[in-house]
Amino acid sequence: MSEDLPLDTVVALLDDEYARSILTATRTEAMSANELTDHCDASLSTICRRLEQLEAANLVRERTRPRADGHHDTIYVATLEEFRLRLDDEGFTFNLRYRDEDAADRLKRLWGDL
């Protein structure tokens, strides 16, 4: 999915209780899939499926969290700031506004482009 998401894709994602719970939880704190299973009271497979859909729609972003043991965790943070839906003579239109990315996110995106 790209930034030119169809309205039905956005609405379907936001209609899902687990997707909404993931977005709400990761808005203020980056969380791993395992942490989200506890927070959302859902199975790991359900959380992973929703995270995949949300990431494809650019509504969450993946990050890496280093651990003291030298390993790392994959964590997720919500990128969606606002969803606006408008009805006019030509039908429905919508706008998504994303949270500003921080310096680490910009560096990761730029490095990935190389």
Side-chain angles (χ1 to χ4, degrees):
M1 291 179 224
S2 70
E3 294 202 24
D4 298 321
L5 293 169
L7 177 60
D8 58 341
T9 299
V10 176
V11 170
L13 281 168
L14 297 178
D15 187 46
D16 182 84
E17 71 174 287
Y18 297 116
R20 287 193 314 270
S21 185
I22 289 168
L23 289 170
T24 302
T26 60
R27 183 182 183 282
T28 56
E29 177 184 356
M31 300 177 97
S32 69
N34 285 327
E35 292 166 334
L36 285 164
T37 60
D38 294 335
H39 181 82
C40 300
D41 193 28
S43 69
L44 183 58
S45 63
T46 297
I47 294 300
C48 288
R49 200 169 28 254
R50 293 320 184 284
L51 284 169
E52 184 178 293
Q53 294 167 337
L54 290 166
E55 190 173 19
N58 196 30
L59 299 180
V60 298
R61 183 178 310 120
E62 185 179 297
R63 290 186 176 167
T64 301
R65 177 175 57 196
R67 296 190 326 217
D69 63 5
H71 296 283
H72 66 275
D73 294 322
T74 299
I75 55 175
Y76 299 88
V77 62
T79 59
L80 179 65
E81 181 70 27
E82 183 176 61
F83 169 68
R84 286 188 174 207
L85 181 65
R86 188 173 33 254
L87 176 61
D88 56 27
D89 293 339
E90 297 182 25
F92 287 99
T93 58
F94 71 98
N95 294 79
L96 296 174
R97 185 166 50 118
Y98 299 98
R99 297 169 65 183
D100 293 332
E101 60 183 357
D102 61 19
D105 291 329
R106 282 191 301 275
L107 181 61
K108 183 178 177 183
R109 182 176 44 78
L110 291 171
W111 185 257
D113 290 344
L114 295 178

